[in-house]
Amino acid sequence: MKYIKQTFPVLEMTCAACAVSVESMLKSVSGVKDVGVNYANQSAWIEYDNKLAQPGDLQNAVRSIGYDLVVDAEDPQAVKEEAQRRQYEQVKKRTIWSSILAVPVVIIGMFFMDMPYGNYISMLLAAPVVFYFGRHFFVNAWKQARHKMANMDTLVALSTGIAFLFSTFNTFFPEFWHARGVHAHVYFEAATVVIAFISLGKLLEEKAKSNTSSAIKKLMGLQPKTVRMIVEGVEQEIPIASVKTGNVIIVRPGEKIPVDGKVLSGSSFVDESMISGEPVPVEKKSGEKVFAGTVNQKGSFQFEAEKVGGDTILAHIIKMVQEAQGSKAPVQRLVDKIAGIFVPVVVSISILTFTVWMIFGGDNAFTHALLTSVTVLVIACPCALGLATPTAIMVGVGKGAENNILIKDAESLELAHKVNAVILDKTGTITEGKPTVTDMLWTSPDGMGTFKNILYALEIQSEHPLAEAVVKRLSEEEVQPITTHHFESITGMGVKASADAQAYYVGNRKLMDKYGITLPEKLQHDSMRLQQEAKTVVYFSDHTHVIATMAIADKIKPTSKNAIQLLQHRGIEVYMLTGDNEYTAMAVARQVGLKHYKSEVMPSEKAEFVKQLQVQGKVVAMVGDGINDSHALAQADVSIAMAKGSDIAMDVAKMTLITSDLQSIPKALNLSSKTVRGIRQNLFWAFIYNIIGIPLAAGVLYPLNGFLLDPMIAGAAMALSSVSVVGNSLRLKAAKI
């Protein structure tokens, strides 16, 4: 059984309990393995067997409870944005009209309750507010009830509907109460103001939520809408959606590159800072790779499209940010469970409140029972609780994207602030990752011509980054490779092959020892000297003796030392693991101020070292290139890839730094701290609001001081709670990390 995982926009969700309803409904569809619905960014990821379930089945299930799933659009994001825009306009219209009609009802109810026909006027003004501008509450509540579910709409429909019907009865039959010595109160103003306030809160919430996804919009804005393409020798401007692999595209000065590809002709410098984080434009000539979203500088060139649509690096980055914004932090799972049972619990509290007041309420028992039970329904708000975590996560992920920190899931963002041990790979992480040959010492200068050809042949087949440095050096000397046989790569040591029936080896000291090749004393002395200069020593030998010794150096990045000091000042233990020898590791560690390092480490040993630290109770972050370090990255609590748009790095790591600057690591940890602090603040206020608000609404203070909370004040408080939570999350956008 093969499952596919897709993300779909969800429309019409109005509260956190809605997300729980949609999630449970989708999970009930045959063929669905797992589902995650995010209220904050209005999306659902669904893992399902497309032989048992089709997108149409998923859509029908969601529609049956009053929501919608966008499954058949060419651009689902555009459909979602258009739906959100329409939703915003509808909420705006409802808010304006319900507020206009509610004002005279409030004035009559508060100041002119005894005016002739006042109750009838209030009823006529309140009816359209409750049953037209508030009709969606009743429609959605009914759809939920059909499936034995409840959400925020259930609370609003119950509270306003009961208040309106009770007030209507009192308007037409006031003598029912007068005969019992009780004044016939009406609560039209409570019903109208609750809907007006909830609509206002929803309007502000919709506006605020649109701000949290600005990072996605900025990334999407990096891709042009049209491209200039050569079709049968003629230059044409076509929509970017029409570009296919193999098309030849023209890029002029100042234009954004539309898709990934390879330069065919012409040359220029391209600003790739959005991919690499490097401010210096990169020269592009024939054969060079170019990436979507990067900006061409002064020259112009033609290139062949290699990756289009969702396959470009920019599309991968956008997808990863979207998935991270829609992923759930561990704390959110608990919140979802609470939101799922919240509405039934509130309805139960409302019924209990009514019952208690009816038994102990005295002369005005029924009036107080109805008023307090309605107020409980109005003030209870799962929205603040549901928005607390996802809005903070969305803003945090967006803030990270703006600072070249791509966060793959919410769990890593929540966990990163607990990190107390960071493991750094050396090559490409602490250093530039662009090694160059600084010394090449031949033991037999007379015969080195042929040996150079053999060395070139071995290194050109090797995939090790250090081999590239040797290949580059020999190619500059115009050395030509010769034919070799039985090539073999020996993990963590080097390579071997045969030429002219003779075995040759290129690798480290371990490789020489493995095949019993001894190093003369002078060679050992030279090797030690080179290693003390933080250079990696590579040996080239036949089956008996060393032919050449090469020293390869990899420059330390200018910001590495400062980044390591920042981490150490936070009380974090920083370790460097490298496959290099002890002397090179020691020299690099000394230069960057590292206390802990380990040399000559095999890839599998890195993962074992991560485990050892975890056994000691440490929360470990592993920082590597995402390819050679994949095992260790997978083992770490938080995995961070140093990448320049590498697909593999983005797949393996939970965070990807699209910059070579190690100072982004302390920034990522700071971002985690601030995001988690925001989540905790949001949850605190959401819980406190309900813990204080519900008992007040139930009338616990009435026996002490005669205080009863008015339903319309409860509606205002409920609206304010959601807005305050979203507003607190948005503060992170302005925070310095």
Side-chain angles (χ1 to χ4, degrees):
M1 192 177 290
K2 190 175 180 182
Y3 292 98
I4 61 170
K5 185 177 179 180
Q6 281 183 278
T7 299
F8 302 97
V10 183
L11 309 181
E12 311 297 334
M13 288 197 297
T14 58
C15 72
C18 296
V20 176
S21 298
V22 172
E23 194 167 299
S24 61
M25 201 68 203
L26 285 168
K27 282 179 178 175
S28 70
V29 177
S30 177
V32 172
K33 181 185 179 186
D34 200 9
V35 178
V37 180
N38 189 293
Y39 168 51
N41 72 354
Q42 304 280 294
S43 68
W45 61 261
I46 308 168
E47 196 173 353
Y48 64 99
D49 182 350
N50 61 351
K51 290 179 181 175
L52 297 176
Q54 292 297 314
D57 302 325
L58 304 172
Q59 186 182 52
N60 290 335
V62 173
R63 282 178 172 174
S64 72
I65 53 170
Y67 310 103
D68 201 359
L69 201 69
V70 180
V71 297
D72 53 2
E74 280 187 18
D75 188 353
Q77 189 65 27
V79 173
K80 175 183 163 185
E81 285 179 9
E82 175 59 22
Q84 285 177 331
R85 187 193 64 76
R86 285 200 310 269
Q87 167 84 351
Y88 178 77
E89 290 301 322
Q90 287 171 6
V91 174
K92 188 177 176 182
K93 180 183 172 185
R94 287 202 301 264
T95 304
I96 292 169
W97 281 105
S98 59
S99 300
I100 290 170
L101 293 172
V103 169
V105 178
V106 171
I107 292 171
I108 293 169
M110 301 290 283
F111 306 107
F112 303 100
M113 62 279 290
D114 296 323
M115 70 178 281
Y117 306 108
N119 288 354
Y120 291 96
I121 295 168
S122 295
M123 183 182 68
L124 290 172
L125 291 171
V129 175
V130 175
F131 298 113
Y132 181 73
F133 297 114
R135 69 187 184 281
H136 61 286
F137 293 120
F138 296 92
V139 171
N140 293 339
W142 169 245
K143 287 178 179 177
Q144 292 284 320
R146 281 169 50 206
H147 294 275
K148 297 179 181 176
M149 295 178 181
N151 64 2
M152 189 62 200
D153 294 332
T154 309
L155 296 182
V156 177
L158 279 172
S159 60
T160 56
I162 291 169
F164 185 88
L165 292 174
F166 177 65
S167 300
T168 302
F169 177 84
N170 289 358
T171 299
F172 286 108
F173 307 106
E175 63 277 1
F176 176 85
W177 298 106
H178 294 160
R180 290 161 177 77
V182 178
H183 182 69
H185 287 286
V186 294
Y187 296 103
F188 292 121
E189 78 280 3
T192 56
V193 171
V194 163
I195 287 175
F197 272 133
I198 290 173
S199 299
L200 176 62
K202 190 56 61 181
L203 183 70
L204 295 172
E205 189 182 297
E206 290 290 331
K207 187 75 174 171
K209 280 197 298 185
S210 68
N211 289 337
T212 62
S213 59
S214 58
I216 294 284
K217 290 174 184 171
K218 284 179 187 173
L219 287 169
M220 288 180 168
L222 292 171
Q223 193 172 49
K225 304 296 180 195
T226 60
V227 300
R228 288 191 185 87
M229 200 168 79
I230 297 177
V231 182
E232 297 178 357
V234 180
E235 184 180 324
Q236 295 180 9
E237 188 166 338
I238 64 165
I240 192 165
S242 304
V243 177
K244 293 182 173 57
T245 304
N247 289 159
V248 177
I249 296 166
I250 301 170
V251 181
R252 291 179 179 166
E255 291 182 343
K256 288 175 182 172
I257 293 168
V259 296
D260 294 2
K262 184 170 69 176
V263 177
L264 297 176
S265 62
S267 64
S268 183
F269 283 85
V270 174
D271 178 1
E272 293 188 344
S273 57
M274 60 77 55
I275 294 285
S276 67
E278 303 294 340
V280 181
V282 181
E283 186 178 7
K284 299 292 178 182
K285 48 194 178 184
S286 181
E288 298 274 352
K289 299 279 186 185
V290 290
F291 305 102
T294 56
V295 182
N296 184 29
Q297 301 287 291
K298 295 181 180 177
S300 62
F301 56 88
Q302 295 182 12
F303 75 97
E304 181 184 351
E306 292 185 331
K307 290 181 179 180
V308 301
D311 295 328
T312 65
I313 283 176
L314 177 61
H316 280 302
I317 291 171
I318 291 170
K319 184 182 176 187
M320 200 167 80
V321 173
Q322 284 176 323
E323 286 181 354
Q325 288 192 331
S327 64
K328 291 181 181 178
V331 69
Q332 180 64 17
R333 293 172 199 138
L334 172 64
V335 172
D336 281 350
K337 286 179 183 176
I338 294 169
I341 62 170
F342 186 85
V343 176
V345 167
V346 169
V347 172
S348 301
I349 292 172
S350 177
I351 294 168
L352 179 63
T353 300
F354 185 89
T355 306
V356 170
W357 273 101
M358 284 300 292
I359 296 170
F360 302 106
D363 294 340
N364 295 324
F366 183 76
T367 305
H368 287 162
L370 187 67
L371 180 68
T372 52
S373 58
V374 166
T375 309
V376 166
L377 293 173
V378 171
I379 202 166
C381 178
C383 292
L385 194 60
L387 287 168
T389 301
T391 52
I393 291 293
M394 285 178 71
V395 176
V397 169
K399 183 79 174 175
E402 289 171 10
N403 286 273
N404 293 323
I405 304 164
L406 289 182
I407 297 158
K408 194 168 186 179
D409 63 20
E411 187 172 357
S412 61
L413 183 60
E414 187 185 333
L415 188 60
H417 78 287
K418 296 180 181 176
V419 166
N420 51 20
V422 172
I423 300 173
L424 303 173
D425 179 43
K426 179 180 77 71
T427 307
T429 302
I430 294 175
T431 63
E432 296 279 6
K434 299 173 185 173
T436 53
V437 176
T438 58
D439 305 85
M440 192 173 274
L441 309 174
W442 294 88
T443 52
S444 175
D446 296 338
M448 69 182 186
T450 308
F451 289 135
K452 278 187 178 180
N453 301 124
I454 297 169
L455 173 62
Y456 192 24
L458 264 70
E459 291 291 67
I460 208 165
Q461 296 176 77
S462 174
E463 295 179 355
H464 198 283
L466 297 181
E468 292 180 20
V470 178
V471 168
K472 187 179 179 186
R473 168 72 176 263
L474 294 175
S475 63
E476 287 169 355
E477 296 178 18
E478 298 184 356
V479 175
Q480 297 299 317
I482 65 170
T483 304
T484 58
H485 308 281
H486 312 301
F487 177 84
E488 183 185 344
S489 178
I490 303 159
T491 305
M493 297 185 192
V495 297
K496 73 170 187 175
S498 0
D500 301 326
Q502 169 73 47
Y504 291 93
Y505 308 89
V506 182
N508 56 20
R509 178 67 183 267
K510 281 185 180 179
L511 186 70
M512 300 298 106
D513 293 343
K514 179 180 170 73
Y515 290 97
I517 299 158
T518 56
L519 272 66
E521 191 175 331
K522 182 181 183 305
L523 199 57
Q524 289 185 32
H525 179 75
D526 288 341
S527 299
M528 193 174 293
R529 173 181 56 81
L530 293 167
Q531 286 168 356
Q532 286 171 347
E533 295 171 7
K535 296 175 181 177
T536 302
V537 176
V538 177
Y539 302 100
F540 169 47
S541 75
D542 57 21
H543 70 288
T544 57
H545 67 282
V546 175
I547 300 167
T549 305
M550 292 159 283
I552 300 172
D554 185 6
K555 260 176 72 178
I556 293 170
K557 294 173 189 173
T559 56
S560 292
K561 184 175 182 178
N562 186 49
I564 288 165
Q565 286 176 346
L566 286 171
L567 290 170
Q568 289 171 340
H569 287 157
R570 286 176 65 108
I572 295 170
E573 291 182 3
V574 184
Y575 300 82
M576 180 183 75
L577 300 186
T578 177
D580 262 343
N581 59 72
E582 171 70 17
Y583 294 106
T584 303
M586 186 193 299
V588 171
R590 188 172 58 246
Q591 287 180 52
V592 296
L594 270 174
K595 298 172 187 172
H596 311 285
Y597 66 90
K598 205 171 179 186
S599 61
E600 300 183 16
V601 180
M602 303 286 278
S604 58
E605 293 173 341
K606 289 184 179 181
E608 194 56 43
F609 187 74
V610 173
K611 278 186 193 172
Q612 288 171 17
L613 292 179
Q614 288 170 330
V615 168
Q616 295 170 26
K618 296 190 184 298
V619 179
V620 182
M622 172 70 198
V623 187
D625 61 13
I627 302 169
N628 300 330
D629 305 307
S630 58
H631 190 182
L633 284 165
Q635 178 64 40
D637 298 296
V638 177
S639 49
I640 304 173
M642 304 291 294
K644 293 188 177 181
S646 163
D647 291 346
I648 296 172
M650 283 193 258
D651 286 342
V652 172
K654 291 178 181 176
M655 290 187 185
T656 302
L657 308 181
I658 47 174
T659 170
S660 62
D661 190 350
L662 268 185
Q663 290 179 121
S664 290
I665 298 170
K667 280 187 178 181
L669 303 186
N670 287 337
L671 177 64
S672 171
S673 297
K674 290 181 186 293
T675 304
V676 168
R677 191 180 305 130
I679 290 171
R680 286 174 179 164
Q681 288 168 350
N682 288 350
L683 288 174
F684 172 80
W685 289 114
F687 277 115
I688 285 294
Y689 165 81
N690 284 300
I691 288 168
I692 295 172
I694 291 174
L696 278 180
V700 293
L701 294 180
Y702 187 80
L704 300 174
N705 57 14
F707 175 79
L708 279 180
L709 189 65
D710 192 294
M712 77 177 170
I713 304 298
M718 192 222 67
L720 185 63
S721 67
S722 295
V723 176
S724 62
V725 161
V726 177
N728 187 53
S729 295
L730 289 172
R731 287 193 312 122
L732 182 59
K733 293 185 83 169
K736 187 179 179 184
I737 60 168

